[in-house]
Amino acid sequence: MNHITLSGELGSGKSTVASYLISKMPFKIVSAGLLFRQLAAKHGMSAKEFNEFIENDPKYDHYVDDTMAELGKTDEKIIFDSRMAWHFVPSSFKIYLYVDVDTATERIFNDKGRVSESYSDKETARREIIDRRKSELLRYQNFYHCNLDDYSNYDLVVDTSHATREEVNELVYNSFKAFDEGKEYTKIWLSPKSLIIKGDESDADSEKLIINKKDGQFVVEKGANRVRKALENRQTLVAVDVVKC
């Protein structure tokens, strides 16, 4: 497999994972975010302002997407850091990194290296992260009829909210190696702290952990006891069988 596509939410750790992967394998990184931020700067706008500006004009998205698609036809070993690369580079190992909004806010607000995404206070950062996410979801739905929140689009989904960077890096790397070698591996890993158990029902006989994702929340449909046990054992990630969107 020559291509890896790395999608995910703002502050989810995409750059950290990409950097780790190229330290382990002979890949290079192509960042759609960098191309996008360069376009925003040319128009004198922040990333959020530019997102809203182009909601009804696909030409800027097409510029980035066409660049990704063309590179995806080559034999170069490339990691595409892009929201939509999984769609335009179908022959790839498709990774999605999730992070809850509070963790994302802390990471982004405290990361002084994010010159293009600096905020005066945490509440402003949180609000703009949410607004930007909504804008992106709307734009991709309108232009490409794609739902970024549909986890069936990806070969690996990892919740980075409470796991260490070392845990996430190793999980992603080992999953890619398993995929590349045609071996079985778990495709969805979520933090038990991100999962909501409704009621006190017991489902000890459930062998699967099935989650309903709705309105930004992960609600346990089956496998509540597995989640409780993971919380008791202070696990940072738990294997999930199905996420319904």
Side-chain angles (χ1 to χ4, degrees):
M1 177 61 66
N2 290 327
H3 301 133
I4 297 172
T5 52
L6 184 55
S7 182
E9 313 200 20
L10 200 63
S12 61
K14 298 186 297 297
S15 297
T16 299
V17 168
S19 296
Y20 180 78
L21 292 177
I22 64 171
S23 76
K24 302 282 286 185
M25 303 181 291
F27 281 73
K28 72 174 185 179
I29 300 172
V30 173
S31 171
L34 178 59
L35 294 173
F36 191 81
R37 286 191 292 273
Q38 288 172 344
L39 287 172
K42 285 181 180 180
H43 287 75
M45 300 180 185
S46 68
K48 175 179 177 290
E49 290 169 337
F50 195 58
N51 260 312
E52 294 171 349
F53 172 69
I54 67 174
E55 279 182 358
N56 297 310
D57 187 348
K59 70 178 180 181
Y60 297 103
D61 277 309
H62 288 166
Y63 166 75
V64 175
D65 298 336
D66 291 346
T67 300
M68 297 286 163
E70 286 303 311
L71 288 171
K73 296 175 184 177
T74 71
D75 292 328
E76 289 186 85
K77 289 186 174 294
I78 301 174
I79 296 173
F80 296 91
D81 179 355
S82 164
R83 298 285 200 280
M84 288 297 296
W86 60 270
H87 181 69
F88 292 100
V89 188
S91 296
S92 62
F93 179 66
K94 306 172 187 68
I95 304 166
Y96 185 89
L97 302 182
Y98 167 82
V99 63
D100 66 62
V101 66
D102 292 323
T103 303
T105 300
E106 286 289 333
R107 290 176 180 173
I108 292 169
F109 185 77
N110 294 317
D111 184 356
K112 304 309 178 184
R114 288 178 177 264
V115 178
S116 62
E117 292 160 351
S118 57
Y119 306 97
S120 58
D121 57 79
K122 288 184 181 179
E123 185 54 39
T124 299
R126 189 179 193 279
R127 184 170 60 252
E128 293 204 7
I129 289 168
I130 293 172
D131 289 346
R132 179 171 166 182
R133 177 66 175 169
K134 288 179 179 178
S135 174
E136 288 178 340
L137 287 172
L138 176 63
R139 192 167 83 249
Y140 298 141
Q141 181 67 46
N142 289 340
F143 292 167
Y144 310 114
H145 308 292
C146 290
N147 180 7
L148 292 184
D149 281 343
D150 183 352
Y151 290 169
S152 67
N153 292 321
Y154 312 105
D155 299 303
L156 178 68
V157 176
V158 182
D159 180 353
T160 71
S161 303
H162 303 286
T164 66
R165 67 175 60 190
E166 291 78 16
E167 288 174 317
V168 173
N169 287 341
E170 284 298 317
L171 176 56
V172 172
Y173 174 71
N174 291 332
S175 298
F176 171 71
K177 296 298 289 183
F179 175 88
D180 200 34
E181 295 168 7
K183 297 178 180 178
E184 292 291 323
Y185 67 97
T186 299
K187 294 186 177 183
I188 305 175
W189 294 87
L190 298 178
S191 166
K193 292 182 179 180
S194 299
L195 308 180
I196 298 172
I197 300 173
K198 291 192 173 180
D200 298 321
E201 70 281 357
S202 175
D203 55 2
D205 295 331
S206 177
E207 296 181 358
K208 291 187 175 183
L209 178 52
I210 300 176
I211 306 298
N212 272 307
K213 187 171 189 289
K214 187 176 182 181
D215 298 327
Q217 294 185 321
F218 296 102
V219 179
V220 178
E221 179 178 303
K222 289 186 178 180
N225 284 348
R226 282 180 55 188
V227 177
R228 294 188 184 100
K229 186 174 181 180
L231 288 168
E232 289 172 3
N233 294 333
R234 298 185 179 181
Q235 291 175 227
T236 56
L237 290 167
V238 62
V240 176
D241 295 283
V242 178
V243 174
K244 299 179 180 179
C245 297

